[in-house]
Amino acid sequence: MMTFRTVKTAIQDLLDSQAAGRFRVIGKQVMSKSADEIKDNDRLVQVYFSDGSFPKSSGRMHGSKTHDITIEIDLSASAGATGDLSVLDDPLATAIQKAGAIAAIREASETADEKIDELIDAVYNILMDARYEGLLLPKGTISSRWIDRIQKDTLLERGEFVVKTANMKYTCRVQEYVSGDIGNTPATVEIYSDTPNDGDTGTGVNVLNDNT
């Protein structure tokens, strides 16, 4: 299995083990957790491999190959809007009713925005914690790890819920190991020497190349 897949799984496992009920990692088993540990299911984290490059200047033709990878970490948080939002689509609703619905959406948006900020804070501090620099993988598996971008996306409205999303870009360098032939086998060369004992005959060397 290529190392970038190992890194993705390690990030999932680390975040899941350190969530402490603050969020849930998509793809991890929820049934094994207590109700208190999963009480904040409105905060979700998803991890996936985004892209990778193989710098020619840092690699080699055979053996291990340097792989600079990017892991995307998507975050989302939701909040429910209080009040009747259906009035926004009701042509008979009064201006006061519609104003109340809009106010409810704005309040939910503010709550969702605060939740996504808390989620960014939690995930960033877990991944950049010096104790987890290597993602608990064997020493030397990854290097140059960094989070070089955090971006909050637009607000999404889903029925009575308002969802805020964000994205983190986690980068690091790993080594990929590909099995197979590492080159051409050189021609077999055998050298024989013979030293006579009569004192008069010169020493000879016979070179045999069985590929010629």
Side-chain angles (χ1 to χ4, degrees):
M1 184 169 69
M2 293 183 71
T3 309
F4 79 85
R5 298 176 61 192
T6 301
V7 171
K8 172 193 168 183
T9 301
I11 291 176
Q12 286 180 313
D13 292 343
L14 176 62
L15 292 176
D16 186 59
S17 68
Q18 299 299 314
R22 294 173 292 178
F23 56 85
R24 180 164 64 89
V25 179
I26 294 177
K28 307 305 293 185
Q29 292 295 326
V30 180
M31 298 303 294
S32 63
K33 298 182 180 297
S34 68
D36 288 338
E37 290 177 313
I38 61 174
K39 62 183 178 181
D40 284 332
N41 281 348
D42 57 351
R43 296 179 178 90
L44 302 176
V45 177
Q46 184 174 20
V47 180
Y48 60 95
F49 171 72
S50 175
D51 63 80
S53 62
F54 295 87
K56 194 170 184 179
S57 60
S58 301
R60 50 184 176 174
M61 292 293 295
H62 308 292
S64 64
K65 296 169 179 59
T66 298
H67 192 187
D68 291 333
I69 66 175
T70 298
I71 303 292
E72 301 283 350
I73 302 169
D74 283 346
L75 314 174
S76 66
S78 61
T82 59
D84 184 7
L85 303 185
S86 64
V87 299
L88 293 174
D89 298 319
D90 185 357
L92 300 179
T94 65
I96 294 178
Q97 289 176 317
K98 290 187 176 182
I102 292 174
I105 291 177
R106 290 187 180 277
E107 290 176 0
S109 299
E110 183 66 26
T111 301
D113 190 68
E114 181 64 25
K115 286 183 177 182
I116 201 69
D117 286 348
E118 292 174 354
L119 183 55
I120 290 171
D121 187 344
V123 172
Y124 179 85
N125 278 284
I126 292 171
L127 292 177
M128 296 306 290
D129 190 316
R131 294 170 295 179
Y132 309 130
E133 182 174 1
L135 300 176
L136 303 179
L137 293 171
K139 186 176 181 180
T141 300
I142 71 172
S143 61
S144 303
R145 72 93 166 86
W146 197 247
I147 291 178
D148 59 12
R149 180 176 62 83
I150 301 175
Q151 180 176 334
K152 292 171 68 173
D153 299 321
T154 57
L155 202 66
L156 304 175
E157 295 180 20
R158 292 291 183 269
E160 296 182 357
F161 286 90
V162 173
V163 180
K164 188 73 176 181
T165 62
N167 172 271
M168 285 186 184
K169 186 183 293 290
Y170 180 99
T171 61
C172 67
R173 171 167 287 190
V174 301
Q175 296 296 316
E176 303 291 1
Y177 300 89
V178 181
S179 58
D181 189 359
I182 63 172
N184 296 322
T185 303
T188 301
V189 176
E190 298 180 15
I191 300 177
Y192 301 94
S193 63
D194 182 27
T195 303
N197 295 320
D198 57 12
D200 296 325
T201 306
T203 301
V205 177
N206 181 35
V207 178
L208 172 66
N209 185 337
D210 64 3
N211 289 312
T212 59

